[in-house]
Amino acid sequence: MNGKRHLLVTSAARKIPLLRAAIAAARKLSPEMQVLAGDIDPEAPAQYAADAFWAMPRTDDTALDALITGCKERGIGFVLPTRDGELLFWARHKARFAREGIAVLVSPGESVTRCLDKLAFGRFGQERGLPFIPAFEGLEDAGTSRYRGPYAVKERFGAGSRAIGLNLDAASAREHAKGLTAPIFQPFIEGAEISVDAWLDQAYRLKGLVLRRRDRVVDGESQVTTTFRDAAIEEAARTALEALQLCGPVVMQVLIDKAGQPHIIECNSRFGGASTAGIAAGLDSLYWSLAEAAGHDVAALPFARISGEVRQVRLPADTHFILPAK
């Protein structure tokens, strides 16, 4: 592969739909571009769905030189991080990789940090008058505001659905917080949770977004998801995403209350677990990222959203490889 500018998808694990979408985007940019699945697990299933596999070092500062050398040896010119826990590493070293001719498809470090920290995220939105759900470090802080419960209690950092307590009174909220490492408190809002797949250019301008309902969720990921249109929600999402100064593919989680008003929960500054539905609806996010990094005028590329809607159903499937006889 040396001499080519190939794409590395990190923390590939078993993200087969993402890998297939990445391969389609890479071939669209250049028929010769290969997609490598990267993971620290040498047995990661993703290796069977990619053009090549790299059992990578862990993404920490001590491995920076080894990661750069490994990328150059494999002809990697683009890196797509896919796991929250590694985004800040790639963002911090984005300029270093760029000097080596390797484009890392990630938002700036400050923007990534803001999205990973639910307390900072909530405060950011509230300070700017955006419809973010407020977040408080202590229940006494929430109590001195206009919020009197019920509450949601969750970890300040990490996956949004992990160890979360919902619809709790003050006493139950305090008790739930004792089992968390760094708890935050938020007003509990009843509503339907939706996802917003979006893509922004390197100047933090939104090119397009697709709303989708989370019809069936398992372990925090949509097994069944359906796209839809709503001009007011789309405009609110646009304003919030551009204020966050993100770039590339992102996915935002929003609660829609009974009155139809949006309440922004969080935003992941990466391609989402079910964001392939957005691609199917016309949001060509992975291709746009590669094209922009390759120096193309992305503004000239159309966002051709389909006129209908997409229902994406994620089902397990078997893949068979015929091995030579011994």
Side-chain angles (χ1 to χ4, degrees):
M1 295 185 187
N2 292 348
K4 305 295 183 184
R5 296 194 70 200
H6 300 302
L7 169 63
L8 170 67
V9 176
T10 68
S11 298
R14 55 195 303 273
K15 299 168 184 170
I16 309 307
L18 188 160
L19 273 170
R20 288 172 176 163
I23 290 169
R27 302 288 200 271
K28 189 173 178 180
L29 185 68
S30 169
E32 295 183 344
M33 184 181 291
Q34 302 286 291
V35 174
L36 291 82
D39 203 282
I40 62 169
D41 177 8
E43 304 298 326
Q47 63 188 285
Y48 300 107
D51 296 311
F53 178 69
W54 179 16
M56 296 173 58
R58 289 186 179 275
T59 48
D60 60 44
D61 292 348
T62 61
L64 178 59
D65 289 338
L67 286 163
I68 290 172
T69 298
C71 284
K72 294 173 78 171
E73 287 175 350
R74 292 165 175 81
I76 293 166
F78 307 91
V79 176
L80 178 67
T82 71
R83 182 176 57 87
D84 286 340
E86 66 177 344
L87 294 177
L88 197 52
F89 168 86
W90 291 106
R92 282 203 320 267
H93 299 296
K94 184 175 181 176
R96 170 74 188 279
F97 278 90
R99 290 195 294 271
E100 302 290 344
I102 302 163
V104 181
L105 310 178
V106 69
S107 293
E110 184 178 356
S111 303
V112 171
T113 299
R114 186 185 296 121
C115 289
L116 292 173
D117 182 342
K118 297 181 185 65
L119 181 64
F121 184 84
R123 287 174 174 172
F124 177 88
Q126 288 291 295
E127 289 167 0
R128 286 156 182 77
L130 298 168
F132 286 32
I133 299 178
F136 306 97
E137 203 163 7
L139 194 60
E140 64 280 1
D141 300 320
T144 58
S145 72
R146 59 189 176 91
Y147 304 105
R148 294 291 182 268
Y151 301 100
V153 185
K154 61 183 72 169
E155 288 284 8
R156 179 175 175 178
F157 305 98
S161 60
R162 188 176 302 151
I164 189 170
L166 297 174
N167 200 13
L168 304 176
D169 59 27
S172 299
R174 287 193 181 92
E175 189 61 29
H176 187 84
K178 292 177 182 177
L180 303 184
T181 304
I184 62 164
F185 301 84
Q186 295 181 298
F188 173 72
I189 297 170
E190 286 194 75
E193 186 175 343
I194 69 165
S195 294
V196 182
D197 294 316
W199 190 88
L200 301 92
D201 65 20
Q202 291 180 13
Y204 320 128
R205 294 178 300 234
L206 184 84
K207 183 174 182 66
L209 58 79
V210 171
L211 310 179
R212 53 183 172 85
R213 297 184 181 89
R214 293 157 58 86
D215 305 314
R216 177 178 169 84
V217 179
V218 178
D219 295 331
E221 185 174 292
S222 297
Q223 274 194 354
V224 182
T225 187
T226 307
T227 65
F228 70 102
R229 301 297 303 265
D230 185 301
I233 297 173
E234 289 172 0
E235 186 55 36
R238 170 189 290 274
T239 302
L241 288 164
E242 291 187 341
L244 286 165
Q245 294 195 317
L246 299 166
C247 61
V250 301
V251 59
M252 190 161 68
Q253 307 304 129
V254 183
L255 270 176
I256 308 300
D257 65 21
K258 294 176 182 178
Q261 296 302 305
H263 303 267
I264 296 170
I265 306 169
E266 63 184 6
C267 185
N268 298 317
S269 48
R270 54 167 173 76
F271 195 81
S275 292
T276 43
I279 293 178
L283 190 81
D284 209 356
S285 55
L286 297 181
Y287 172 64
W288 293 337
S289 289
L290 291 172
E292 183 181 46
H296 295 204
D297 179 12
V298 183
L301 300 175
F303 170 33
R305 194 197 190 286
I306 65 170
S307 57
E309 303 301 339
V310 172
R311 172 162 294 158
Q312 176 172 288
V313 181
R314 182 154 291 173
L315 301 171
D318 295 330
T319 302
H320 301 100
F321 301 89
I322 306 303
L323 305 178
K326 293 183 178 179

